[in-house]
Amino acid sequence: MLASLREEVAAANRRLVAEGLVTLTWGNVSGIDRAQGIFAIKPSGIPYAELSAESIVLVDLEGKVVQGDLRPSSDAPTHRVLYLAFDAIGGITHTHSPFATMFAQAGRALPCLGTTHADHFLGPVPLCRALTPEEVREDYETNTGKVIAAEFAGRDPLSMPAVLQHYHAPFTWGGSAMESVDNSVALEACARLAAGSWRLGLDPLSSGLPSHLLEKHFFRKHGCAAYYGQK
């Protein structure tokens, strides 16, 4: 089971390059085996083309490396906190994809302006607050996860599988490592469409997609009443 997880996580990380979501080594994907309480994650600073299943690092939910000769991603503590906070997720992706990161740097939530966005995200993608100087000094990566988890208190992370961290970049998640990459692809596409809509003259303060269209497009693809695709 852990061998197949490492294979999937290696492939998911390599896919970041194919999807145009990363520059240099600015991103990582992880996936978790819930039964064993172990997640697999990209090693820190290793080029994606050099990744193999054997190079993927296994980390337990206490943050201890349990298998692998390389150091795990510096974002591993953030992933660990999110796995503990969101027990329904099976994979996490962090990138600095251009358009989503523009929104994060600008301190803007990503509004839902059309049905393309609504097909994937149930409303605006939230912006979580920047870390305080004390939080950065104490444990930057762990506190990044805690700030994201706090932003999602009372919110279903599967209905909104993405967040923008102020001044930083996006995080996405899903039922598996590959699904979390799907959500990163969708987030970047929606951010690009929103920025383009504003350039074409849409009022940035527009209320966006009406709720009846938002709910129709989201729930025809998600949930027990979904009818998009094949059973």
Side-chain angles (χ1 to χ4, degrees), residues 193-208:
L193 290 171
S197 296
W198 286 342
R199 285 199 298 270
L200 288 172
L202 179 69
D203 182 355
L205 299 180
S206 165
S207 59

Side-chain angles (χ1 to χ4, degrees), residues 22 24 29 46 51-53 81 91 98 134 147 153 157 171 185-186 202 211:
V22 292
L24 300 176
V29 183
I46 302 299
L51 290 177
S52 64
V81 171
E134 293 75 20
V147 166
F171 288 82
V185 171
L202 179 69
S211 60

Side-chain angles (χ1 to χ4, degrees), residues 1 11 18 21 35 60 62 68 86 88 90 92 106 110 120 123 135 144 149 169 176 202 205 212-213 223 227 230-231:
M1 183 67 175
L21 295 175
D60 68 21
E62 294 182 353
F86 305 154
I92 297 169
L110 177 61
H120 220 86
E135 288 169 330
T144 294
S176 66
L202 179 69
L205 299 180
H212 64 285
L213 284 172
Y227 59 88
Q230 306 301 315
K231 289 185 179 180

Side-chain angles (χ1 to χ4, degrees), residues 96-151:
H96 290 252
S97 60
F99 282 90
T101 301
M102 288 180 202
F103 277 85
Q105 291 183 166
R108 297 289 297 266
L110 177 61
C112 181
L113 300 180
T115 60
T116 305
H117 181 123
D119 281 341
H120 220 86
F121 304 106
L122 186 57
V125 176
L127 175 83
C128 66
R129 67 170 176 83
L131 273 67
T132 66
E134 293 75 20
E135 288 169 330
V136 172
R137 284 194 299 269
E138 178 192 43
D139 188 336
Y140 175 58
E141 290 83 8
T142 295
N143 285 328
T144 294
K146 290 180 178 179
V147 166
I148 294 171
E151 177 66 32

Side-chain angles (χ1 to χ4, degrees), residues 42-228:
K42 179 186 180 291
S44 181
I46 302 299
Y48 300 95
E50 297 177 12
L51 290 177
S52 64
E54 292 72 26
S55 65
I56 296 299
V57 186
L58 297 180
V59 183
D60 68 21
L61 288 175
E62 294 182 353
K64 178 183 177 183
V65 172
V66 297
Q67 190 172 339
D69 298 324
L70 301 171
R71 287 189 298 176
S73 167
S74 57
D75 294 306
T78 305
H79 290 236
R80 182 182 72 85
V81 171
L82 295 180
Y83 283 127
L84 290 170
F86 305 154
D87 58 9
I89 70 173
I92 297 169
T93 295
H94 172 51
T95 74
H96 290 252
S97 60
F99 282 90
T101 301
M102 288 180 202
F103 277 85
Q105 291 183 166
R108 297 289 297 266
L110 177 61
C112 181
L113 300 180
T115 60
T116 305
H117 181 123
D119 281 341
H120 220 86
F121 304 106
L122 186 57
V125 176
L127 175 83
C128 66
R129 67 170 176 83
L131 273 67
T132 66
E134 293 75 20
E135 288 169 330
V136 172
R137 284 194 299 269
E138 178 192 43
D139 188 336
Y140 175 58
E141 290 83 8
T142 295
N143 285 328
T144 294
K146 290 180 178 179
V147 166
I148 294 171
E151 177 66 32
F152 275 74
R155 187 196 295 265
D156 175 15
L158 295 183
S159 294
M160 180 51 64
V163 71
L164 304 170
Q165 222 266 302
H166 195 187
Y167 300 125
H168 190 182
F171 288 82
T172 62
W173 45 83
S176 66
M178 279 297 185
E179 187 176 305
S180 74
V181 178
D182 289 342
N183 291 334
S184 190
V185 171
L187 177 65
E188 180 65 6
C190 292
R192 185 170 63 250
L193 290 171
S197 296
W198 286 342
R199 285 199 298 270
L200 288 172
L202 179 69
D203 182 355
L205 299 180
S206 165
S207 59
L209 188 69
S211 60
H212 64 285
L213 284 172
L214 166 63
E215 293 173 4
K216 178 62 177 179
H217 272 262
F218 184 82
F219 288 112
R220 72 177 185 165
K221 285 191 171 183
H222 307 274
C224 60
Y227 59 88
Y228 175 86

